[in-house]
Amino acid sequence: MMSSYQKIMAGLIVGLLMLGLIQISVASVVSTGDFNKDFYIMWSPSHVSTSSDGRTRSLKLDQESGSGFSSNQKFLFGQIDVQIKLIPGRSAGTVVAYYLTSDEPNHDELDFEFLGNVVGQPYLLQTNIYINGFDNREERIKLWFDPSKHFHTYSILWNIHQIVFMVDGIPIRVYRNHGEKGVAFPMWRPMSIKASIWNGESWATNGGRDKIDWSQAPFIVSFRNYKIDACVWKGYARFCRVDSPGNWWNNNRFSTLTFRQRSLFKWVRKHHLLYDYCHDYKRFQFKLPKECSLPKY
């Protein structure tokens, strides 16, 4: 039979284990859907409009200022989805960004950047990945629809296995965790979710040759139906890196693309890819980054 001391210690151990499970289970959060509750305005509140129910938020760019907002929480792994309706008409020179960032000098960052264009030319979508403050990992695609006519869903799946950028559920970019082969991967720094609109006319459209036509201002982008299903940062990376029911994204099922996703990914790469840093031999003087020679799935 167990002594009183053994019973007390056993109870303590069970309690600690349960506490750990509780901490892990509450690490995952499904967002409220209310921009007023989950986000704060980073700058220019006069250029930010939110619907009365908090479900839709718009950002404005004019000659006075751009604008942006950021999540109240930081996250380490998960999936972030948001529906965005981009600027109609001539949007040349404007940049709309939706991204995750750790906000540090040597920061990690996962970027969607929507580059405006002249009328008749498609919006370009640029993605980029910063790790330890280094980027140089740009990719660009032309979208297969007009993103200014309707809302479309843009998603980032970030887990211990891979990073997947998706448009309406279609994977457009994959960055695998090849850490065991010396390739950098964001594993430690929690990131906040941000969105902004700003003047990028020096580079965004046609290499900076097409400038913003301010007679078309204000330029407005709208966001709605965001979903944050991610590990809220509580100061313990191990809670976010475990494979648990709360951290579903770390499950082995999400360690690579499905067969269907691979087919869609290949379709995007074949028909819509405009630029891939892994093909830019001149830029890297024929010494491409190590991940360029490694499999994506």
Side-chain angles (χ1 to χ4, degrees):
M1 295 181 62
M2 295 176 64
S3 68
S4 298
Y5 173 77
Q6 289 174 321
K7 290 179 180 178
I8 292 172
M9 291 304 296
L12 179 60
I13 291 170
V14 170
L16 289 171
L17 288 172
M18 289 301 295
L19 178 60
L21 289 172
I22 291 169
Q23 286 178 305
I24 291 170
S25 66
V26 300
S28 176
V29 61
V30 178
S31 51
T32 67
D34 187 336
F35 282 98
N36 292 319
K37 293 180 179 179
D38 292 333
F39 294 88
Y40 67 91
I41 297 171
M42 290 191 291
W43 85 92
S44 195
S46 63
H47 287 55
V48 180
S49 299
T50 308
S51 61
S52 58
D53 61 2
R55 300 290 171 177
T56 302
R57 175 165 285 180
S58 297
L59 298 179
K60 181 174 71 174
L61 168 68
D62 57 21
Q63 285 184 288
E64 177 186 335
S65 179
S67 50
F69 59 85
S70 175
S71 62
N72 296 321
Q73 301 271 17
K74 286 192 172 187
F75 310 91
L76 185 64
F77 305 122
Q79 180 164 321
I80 314 299
D81 310 292
V82 65
Q83 291 185 343
I84 306 174
K85 186 177 180 182
L86 293 170
I87 304 161
R90 182 186 171 97
S91 55
T94 66
V95 177
V96 173
Y98 150 53
Y99 58 108
L100 310 182
T101 180
S102 63
D103 293 320
E104 297 169 331
N106 295 323
H107 70 296
D108 295 341
E109 187 169 305
L110 310 176
D111 290 342
F112 273 110
E113 290 181 319
F114 303 90
L115 311 181
N117 219 329
V118 296
V119 175
Q121 294 299 314
Y123 247 99
L124 301 186
L125 172 52
Q126 175 168 287
T127 57
N128 200 359
I129 297 173
Y130 289 73
I131 306 172
N132 298 325
F134 293 98
D135 59 341
N136 293 332
R137 299 181 181 91
E138 300 95 340
E139 292 187 7
R140 285 190 185 184
I141 66 168
K142 57 181 179 181
L143 291 169
W144 50 94
F145 53 85
D146 183 346
S148 69
K149 287 188 175 181
H150 305 284
F151 282 92
H152 291 267
T153 303
Y154 303 90
S155 308
I156 298 174
L157 170 66
W158 169 36
N159 61 32
I160 60 175
H161 311 287
Q162 62 179 349
I163 298 164
V164 185
F165 293 81
M166 293 173 280
V167 177
D168 291 333
I170 297 174
I172 63 165
R173 180 174 186 174
V174 180
Y175 185 86
R176 285 204 63 75
N177 183 354
H178 288 295
E180 77 284 355
K181 297 179 181 177
V183 176
F185 190 87
M187 286 287 289
W188 298 96
R189 296 181 177 92
M191 301 195 224
S192 54
I193 307 162
K194 298 183 186 294
S196 60
I197 184 172
W198 43 282
N199 180 349
E201 67 177 7
S202 64
W203 65 276
T205 308
N206 196 17
R209 288 182 286 276
D210 290 314
K211 305 296 185 181
I212 293 179
D213 179 0
W214 292 110
S215 70
Q216 303 296 311
F219 302 99
I220 297 174
V221 57
S222 297
F223 303 80
R224 73 177 189 187
N225 293 346
Y226 68 88
K227 180 181 178 183
I228 305 169
D229 197 351
C231 185
V232 178
W233 179 247
K234 300 294 185 181
Y236 301 99
R238 64 189 180 90
F239 289 143
C240 295
R241 296 218 301 267
V242 297
D243 174 7
S244 69
N247 295 349
W248 59 264
W249 47 84
N250 286 333
N251 188 276
N252 195 55
R253 289 193 302 124
F254 303 99
S255 64
T256 189
L257 299 184
T258 65
F259 180 79
R260 172 65 174 161
Q261 286 178 321
R262 293 181 190 188
S263 297
L264 292 169
F265 177 68
K266 290 176 181 177
W267 172 78
V268 171
R269 309 295 281 187
K270 181 178 181 180
H271 298 287
H272 297 278
L273 182 67
L274 298 175
Y275 176 82
D276 182 348
Y277 73 106
C278 281
H279 298 163
D280 198 338
Y281 290 91
K282 182 178 179 181
R283 176 182 182 183
F284 294 101
Q285 300 179 338
F286 291 89
K287 296 180 180 179
L288 294 175
K290 187 178 294 185
E291 65 266 20
C292 295
S293 62
L294 297 171
K296 296 184 182 296
Y297 45 79

